[in-house]
């Protein structure tokens, strides 16, 4: 079965995680910035990560080259082209504005570039979607609140809010008040949880943040009552297999918990997280689990179905894509 032909949504991709080494160098040249690596190959040679924190350090370093709206446009458009090639019809992408604000890039400027790229992707490839603004959990709730003050007048340009960055030691509950405000402004809420943090962080994301999806969510398997809750409430978990492999959460794709999650009745979809860093875009992630876990065509279609069911797309769009997936199996 040709997976690229299946309609699918990508619900867990950090747009800055699509920053390829060639673009890092092109943008550094554009802005006259000096990088600590001689060329893209030398940068790519750094892409061996011991854990999430090791990855995040390099990920934040590379972001220093994103300095204006045009950079965000170029970054996002390059990603949308790859996603369209993988059959992605809808993208709900994260971005980390706190880092860019530190570099003097205004939130409105970040969003202008991102939105122009999405509009162009719609015209060129029929890709639709929106952006999820993330709070960096390891900076704590006060900076998150300051970001929300900046974002509130621009809330109509956001699909939702998320919570990302280093997880262990940073539970979700302190971010409850800022998530309450975002939800009251009509935004969707999602949160990373159970990537490196314990199941209690997933409970907290659901109960205190009102998270409609949990990003990663792998460690829910340690808590049967949590699995039952996620199954009953049909909460989508946005899995990222190559990310898990590269960050050492699984030692081999043949041992990835995705099969166990599906068997437990969880709603899981496959995503790329930070594809420029983890060795592949959405299509590569789907192929990796198909081969590693010997998944059937029916299961591959089910994963695509879960991505669409878990998206915040308009119901009519979701129904059309699901009908297309039904036809793919006959
Ligand atoms: N986890 C948490 N924060 C992140 C990630 C991730 O996998 N990628 C980019 N920011
Ligand atoms: Zn992520």
């Amino acid at each position: 079965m040709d997976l690229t032909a299946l309609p699918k949504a990508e619900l867990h991709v950090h747009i800055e995680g699509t920053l390829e080494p060639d673009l890092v160098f092109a943008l550094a040249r554009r802005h006259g910035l000096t990088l600590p690596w001689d060329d893209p190959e030398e940068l790519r040679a750094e892409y061996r990560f011991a854990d999430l924190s090791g990855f995040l350090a390099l990920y934040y370093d590379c972001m220093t080259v994103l300095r204006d709206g045009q950079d965000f446009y170029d970054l996002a458009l390059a990603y949308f082209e790859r996603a369209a090639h993988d059959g992605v019809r809808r993208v709900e992408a994260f971005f980390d504005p706190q880092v860019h604000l530190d570099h003097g890039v205004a939130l409105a400027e970040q969003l202008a570039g991102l939105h122009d790229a999405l509009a162009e992707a719609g015209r060129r490839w029929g890709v639709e979607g929106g952006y999820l603004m993330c709070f960096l959990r390891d900076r704590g709730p006060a900076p998150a609140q300051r970001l929300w003050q900046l974002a509130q007048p621009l809330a109509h340009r956001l699909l939702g809010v998320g919570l990302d960055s280093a997880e262990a030691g940073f539970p979700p509950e302190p971010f409850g008040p800022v998530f309450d405000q975002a939800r009251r402004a009509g935004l969707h809420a999602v949160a990373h949880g159970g990537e490196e943090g314990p199941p209690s962080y997933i409970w907290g994301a659901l109960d205190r943040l009102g998270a409609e999806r949990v990003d990663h969510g792998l460690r829910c398997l340690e808590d049967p009552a949590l699995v039952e809750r996620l199954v009953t409430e049909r909460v989508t978990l946005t899995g990222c297999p190559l990310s898990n492999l590269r960050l050492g959460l699984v030692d081999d794709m043949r041992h990835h918990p995705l099969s166990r999650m599906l068997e437990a009745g969880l709603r899981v979809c496959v995503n790329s997280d930070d594809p420029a860093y983890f060795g592949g875009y959405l299509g590569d992630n789907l192929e990796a689990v198909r081969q590693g876990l010997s998944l059937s065509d029916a299961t591959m279609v089910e994963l695509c179905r879960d991505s669409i069911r878990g998206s915040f797309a308009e119901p009519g769009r979701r129904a059309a894509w699901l009908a297309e997936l039904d036809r793919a199996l006959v």
Side-chain angles (χ1 to χ4, degrees):
M1 172 180 265
D2 174 14
L3 300 181
T4 62
L6 303 177
K8 56 187 81 67
E10 174 136 74
L11 307 180
H12 185 160
V13 59
H14 301 261
I15 204 69
E16 301 93 338
T18 72
L19 182 53
E20 292 283 348
D22 287 344
L23 188 57
V24 172
F25 276 78
L27 297 181
R29 269 195 304 280
R30 183 183 283 177
H31 296 293
L33 301 170
T34 307
L35 294 169
W37 314 280
D38 284 341
D39 54 45
E41 288 65 43
E42 199 178 307
L43 169 55
R44 203 180 284 282
E46 303 272 322
Y47 290 5
R48 283 170 280 100
F49 310 112
D51 53 22
L52 176 60
S53 298
F55 154 70
L56 288 169
L58 189 63
Y59 166 80
Y60 293 131
D61 278 353
C62 287
M63 274 190 216
T64 58
V65 300
L66 293 164
R67 291 305 171 106
D68 61 26
Q70 183 69 45
D71 301 343
F72 283 85
Y73 177 89
D74 293 345
L75 171 71
L77 195 66
Y79 160 72
F80 288 128
E81 181 165 20
R82 290 170 182 268
H85 184 260
D86 283 338
V88 174
R89 309 291 178 86
R90 174 154 180 107
V91 175
E92 300 178 5
F94 297 123
F95 71 119
D96 286 325
Q98 283 164 279
V99 181
H100 312 304
L101 288 166
D102 289 348
H103 299 149
V105 192
L107 183 59
E109 173 123 11
Q110 300 171 35
L111 279 167
L114 294 174
H115 274 283
D116 287 350
L118 185 53
E120 185 62 22
R123 287 187 290 270
R124 289 197 199 178
W125 306 295
V127 175
E128 62 159 64
Y131 293 101
L132 302 163
M133 183 183 82
C134 283
F135 302 110
L136 300 176
R137 64 199 306 156
D138 49 349
R139 292 196 185 186
Q145 186 61 51
R146 286 198 291 277
L147 173 59
W148 177 248
Q149 292 326 118
L150 292 176
Q152 201 166 14
L154 299 165
H156 61 285
R157 310 218 73 192
L158 297 171
L159 181 62
V161 292
L163 186 67
D164 70 356
S165 201
E167 187 184 0
F170 301 100
E173 285 80 2
F175 298 88
V178 76
F179 268 69
D180 287 344
Q181 292 165 70
R183 282 188 290 103
R184 275 201 296 274
L187 297 186
H188 288 289
V190 303
H192 282 58
E195 181 185 19
E196 57 177 17
S200 63
Y201 288 18
I202 301 178
W203 285 107
L206 299 173
D207 290 334
R208 184 61 192 93
L209 306 186
E212 297 162 77
R213 296 195 297 251
V214 176
D215 300 307
H216 293 294
L218 281 188
R219 291 188 59 191
C220 73
L221 290 171
E222 297 169 22
D223 181 342
L226 177 57
V227 170
E228 192 182 328
R229 162 97 182 261
L230 294 166
V231 170
T232 308
E233 297 189 3
R234 298 200 178 91
V235 178
T236 297
L237 307 179
T238 62
C240 304
L242 287 173
S243 165
N244 301 152
L245 193 65
R246 292 299 187 97
L247 297 183
L249 296 173
V250 297
D251 62 352
D252 189 304
M253 204 50 91
R254 288 172 299 183
H255 307 144
H256 194 281
L258 181 72
S259 292
R260 275 187 288 142
M261 295 168 90
L262 290 170
E263 281 158 20
L266 290 160
R267 185 175 280 187
V268 199
C269 61
V270 169
N271 305 269
S272 66
D273 207 2
D274 301 285
Y277 295 87
F278 297 147
Y281 286 77
L282 183 49
D284 305 303
N285 275 271
L286 285 167
E287 287 296 350
V289 289
R290 169 151 77 169
Q291 284 171 29
L293 298 169
S294 306
L295 301 181
S296 66
D297 286 353
T299 302
M300 298 313 295
V301 169
E302 194 58 21
L303 289 169
C304 294
R305 223 179 245 130
D306 281 352
S307 75
I308 287 166
R309 290 189 187 118
S311 80
F312 301 131
E314 200 224 308
R317 303 287 287 164
R318 288 207 302 257
W321 292 322
L322 291 171
E324 216 180 304
L325 284 171
D326 289 343
R327 291 194 295 274
L329 266 184
V330 289

